[in-house]
Amino acid sequence: MNELKIFHYGDPVLRKKAKKVKQVDDDLRQLMAGMVETMVEEPGVGLAAPQVGVSLRAICVRELLSRDEDEEKDEDDVWGQTWCLINPVITKRSKDTQTGNEGCLSLPTLLAMVERASAVVVKAHDLEGNEVVIEASGLLARALQHEIDHLQGILFIDRCDKDTLAWMVPDEEDERGYRLDPTTMEEAVERFDRLRQRESKQ
Ligand code: ZN
């Protein structure tokens, strides 16, 4: 197992502007393999290197094909392609926007509505050093914008509608399997401070 430790809200690494990757080498490939594994394990739609404590411009994202959480469903039917992107840059963003619920593995179980461009074009390099161009819309476009924000030290709570902040709480009585308990930024910050205190004692 290659799973990496996720750094949580309050850690300074999440607020740093990440450095450009100068060379794609085996160390970086190993880091990205660990990031992909961690993203799959959590599970998440994306992960940025600062979230595993590495302040470099590298992200991984994957495409969600179906939100249907039918247990019979094969993993391959739910998840599409995975990308590892080095030095990703948004070269184009649509004027029209999408607003949807967003969360982050560095701020576990917190959700809020975030307005993002509906579609983006991202240029980056892959792990072989080749240039890649991704034209994305929908959730993949949202994930790319969210992860590239991480490289600037920007988190979704900086962009969200603060009135929609909520905890995702498992709830068998709800048909989604969870309910949303409204919260405030102050309460969320307090909870993540406690989480980090617990982690530092481990
Ligand atoms: Zn995130």
Side-chain angles (χ1 to χ4, degrees):
M1 285 303 281
N2 210 358
E3 222 183 306
L4 303 170
K5 181 191 152 208
I6 303 257
F7 285 60
H8 290 130
Y9 179 79
D11 195 292
V13 72
L14 295 173
R15 288 307 196 181
K16 259 172 66 180
K17 197 172 167 212
K19 287 208 177 74
K20 224 173 156 183
V21 174
K22 293 215 176 87
Q23 199 186 337
V24 178
D25 56 16
D26 283 345
D27 284 348
L28 186 75
R29 280 187 274 267
Q30 199 184 340
L31 170 74
M32 295 300 293
M35 281 171 57
V36 168
E37 199 167 316
T38 309
M39 168 179 76
V40 169
E41 209 50 45
E42 284 294 333
V45 291
L47 197 61
Q51 292 182 275
V52 294
V54 180
S55 194
L56 281 177
R57 305 188 80 78
I59 63 170
C60 55
V61 288
R62 57 178 177 160
E63 196 169 12
L64 184 64
L65 300 176
S66 158
R67 277 187 187 278
D68 190 355
E69 285 175 24
D70 186 349
E71 281 181 21
E72 303 283 302
K73 253 200 170 142
D74 217 305
E75 276 276 290
D76 292 347
D77 296 332
V78 178
W79 298 101
Q81 194 179 340
T82 295
W83 289 270
C84 290
L85 302 173
I86 311 304
N87 299 329
V89 177
I90 296 173
T91 56
K92 221 190 243 178
R93 51 179 97 222
S94 65
K95 281 208 183 75
D96 54 314
T97 61
Q98 51 172 327
T99 300
N101 249 327
E102 218 166 283
C104 179
L105 295 177
S106 293
L107 296 95
T109 75
L110 187 66
L111 291 180
M113 299 297 267
V114 184
E115 189 180 5
R116 301 276 189 189
S118 299
V120 289
V121 177
V122 171
K123 263 192 196 161
H125 282 86
D126 66 14
L127 290 176
E128 275 75 52
N130 303 313
E131 193 179 79
V132 241
V133 179
I134 302 176
E135 289 178 31
S137 59
L139 186 64
L140 184 61
R142 174 176 297 283
L144 285 163
Q145 292 169 82
H146 176 119
E147 300 312 331
I148 292 171
D149 267 355
H150 271 299
L151 307 181
Q152 299 299 110
I154 298 168
L155 302 171
F156 82 95
I157 51 169
D158 304 333
R159 300 199 186 276
C160 75
D161 173 353
K162 311 267 185 299
D163 292 336
T164 63
L165 280 164
W167 301 111
M168 192 174 164
V169 183
D171 188 344
E172 281 175 20
E173 280 170 32
D174 194 296
E175 58 178 26
R176 295 169 298 184
Y178 65 89
R179 61 170 202 275
L180 293 174
D181 284 355
T183 186
T184 61
M185 197 65 88
E186 292 71 30
E187 193 185 84
V189 167
E190 234 171 76
R191 191 184 287 199
F192 292 128
D193 279 346
R194 284 202 300 274
L195 173 64
R196 288 187 61 238
Q197 276 167 20
R198 280 203 305 278
E199 285 173 338
S200 66
K201 283 188 196 125
Q202 279 168 9

